[in-house]
């Protein structure tokens, strides 16, 4: 591959090191790429409200594809540019299917407004048990989760592996939403049908006038799978889930070994 015109990076497990930091080496090479006229976009399962600190740590860039492709967020202007949602009827159908096949699961929904700072963006029922510490959600009854559009629904079942949950849910909700996961310990994320990181990144590339052949993308978990397949050059981290190693054009070092920087330093 020649020098890319657009660099797309997942956040957790990819851009961030094991201490959840952007290393000086990674920030420096991304800065050099942007100074050379290359686009840089974050493509993540994170919601917009978790993006500004990452952009500040990188020091350049502004666009983030959030919620696994459902949201495009401008971190400089703190503005949601567009979003795609699961409507209440679809949320209700998913909730019923989850109750049928994974009855011990807890549910939550991610919503967006116009800003990353909109209140009650993440709403969970009491049975939902967080996969990450320092949660920032509101608590309500399951029926209340289904009353407004959401950019994704989260299904949590800590006694199962995420792969097993996807296998159970796909036959009953795969026609309603797109299922994936970024955490192995019993957490499935459901986006609107056909919405993935690849569709979100494709929209950004189109806005910037960049051909897919000139896009390089980095990722580490199954929610990055479609993005790595779509990009002209898909790079799996050394710490990536094995399914990404099977489809990537290249496997780099781990996020703890500056695997992203090692690749980008070929050109910048």
């Amino acid at each position: 591959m020649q020098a890319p015109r657009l660099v797309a990076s997942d956040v957790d497990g990819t851009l961030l090191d094991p201490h959840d930091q952007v290393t000086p080496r990674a920030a420096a090479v991304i800065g050099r790429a942007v100074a050379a006229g290359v686009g840089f976009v974050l493509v993540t399962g994170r919601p917009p409200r978790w993006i500004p600190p990452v952009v500040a740590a990188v020091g350049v860039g502004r666009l983030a594809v959030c919620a696994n492709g459902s949201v495009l967020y401008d971190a400089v202007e703190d503005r949601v540019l567009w979003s795609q949602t699961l409507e209440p009827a679809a949320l209700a159908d998913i909730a019923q299917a989850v109750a049928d096949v994974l009855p011990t699961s807890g549910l939550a929904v991610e919503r967006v407004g116009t800003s990353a700072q909109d209140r009650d963006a993440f709403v969970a029922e009491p049975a939902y048990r967080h996969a990450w510490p320092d949660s920032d959600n509101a608590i309500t009854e399951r029926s209340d989760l289904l009353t407004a559009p959401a950019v994704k629904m989260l299904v949590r079942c800590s006694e199962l592996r995420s792969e097993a949950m996807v296998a159970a849910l796909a036959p009953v909700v795969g026609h309603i939403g797109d299922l994936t996961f970024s955490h192995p310990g019993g957490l499935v994320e459901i986006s609107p049908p056909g919405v993935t990181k690849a569709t979100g990144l494709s929209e950004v590339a189109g806005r910037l006038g960049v051909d897919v052949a000139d896009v390089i993308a980095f990722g580490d978990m199954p929610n990055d799978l479609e993005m790595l397949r779509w990009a002209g050059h898909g790079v799996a981290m050394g710490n990536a889930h094995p399914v990404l190693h099977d489809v990537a054009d290249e496997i780099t070092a781990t996020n703890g070994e500056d695997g992203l920087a090692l690749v980008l330093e070929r050109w910048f």
Side-chain angles (χ1 to χ4, degrees):
M1 181 182 185
Q2 296 183 344
R5 295 181 56 213
L6 178 61
V7 175
S9 178
D10 172 52
V11 175
D12 299 284
T14 300
L15 175 64
L16 302 186
D17 70 12
H19 305 289
D20 292 333
Q21 302 295 315
V22 177
T23 69
R25 184 177 178 182
V29 71
I30 293 169
R32 292 193 297 271
V34 171
V38 175
F40 175 72
V41 58
L42 300 172
V43 189
T44 177
R46 288 187 177 210
R49 66 184 182 280
W50 290 0
I51 295 302
V54 181
V55 172
V58 175
V60 295
R62 65 187 303 159
L63 292 180
V65 175
C66 300
N68 294 325
S70 295
V71 181
L72 183 61
Y73 173 63
D74 185 323
V76 174
E77 296 187 4
D78 184 27
R79 184 163 62 97
V80 172
L81 301 178
W82 53 252
S83 64
Q84 301 187 64
T85 58
L86 290 160
E87 296 304 306
L91 294 171
D93 287 344
I94 294 170
Q96 184 58 59
V98 171
D100 291 341
V101 301
L102 295 174
T104 62
S105 296
L107 299 181
V109 293
E110 189 75 56
R111 300 166 179 161
V112 295
T114 59
S115 161
Q117 307 309 318
D118 289 338
R119 298 188 61 184
D120 295 342
F122 183 48
V123 187
E125 64 179 346
Y128 187 88
R129 297 291 178 263
H130 288 280
W132 292 280
D134 303 324
S135 62
D136 54 357
N137 65 284
I139 299 293
T140 189
E141 295 304 312
R142 176 172 290 197
S143 59
D144 293 333
L145 302 180
L146 316 178
T147 59
V151 294
K152 67 176 175 178
M153 175 175 274
L154 298 94
V155 184
R156 179 78 168 124
C157 189
S158 57
E159 64 265 29
L160 293 177
R161 301 294 290 174
S162 300
E163 288 98 334
M165 293 178 64
V166 169
L169 290 170
V172 291
V173 301
H175 62 295
I176 307 173
D178 196 278
L179 287 79
T180 191
F181 66 92
S182 58
H183 186 290
L187 178 63
V188 171
E189 303 166 53
I190 305 176
S191 302
V195 172
T196 67
K197 287 188 176 185
T199 63
L201 178 55
S202 175
E203 169 72 19
V204 172
R207 282 176 173 241
L208 299 177
V210 176
D211 188 80
V212 61
D214 296 318
V215 179
I216 188 169
F218 297 82
D220 75 306
M221 287 296 286
N223 62 332
D224 298 309
L225 182 64
E226 292 85 358
M227 176 174 72
L228 265 60
R229 281 176 169 161
W230 177 85
H233 194 73
V235 182
M237 307 302 292
N239 52 287
H241 190 284
V243 70
L244 266 70
H245 286 183
D246 292 340
V247 303
D249 297 300
E250 176 180 356
I251 301 171
T252 186
T254 69
N255 63 323
E257 300 167 318
D258 266 319
L260 180 145
L262 280 168
V263 174
L264 293 182
E265 284 169 353
R266 294 174 191 163
W267 304 289
F268 310 108

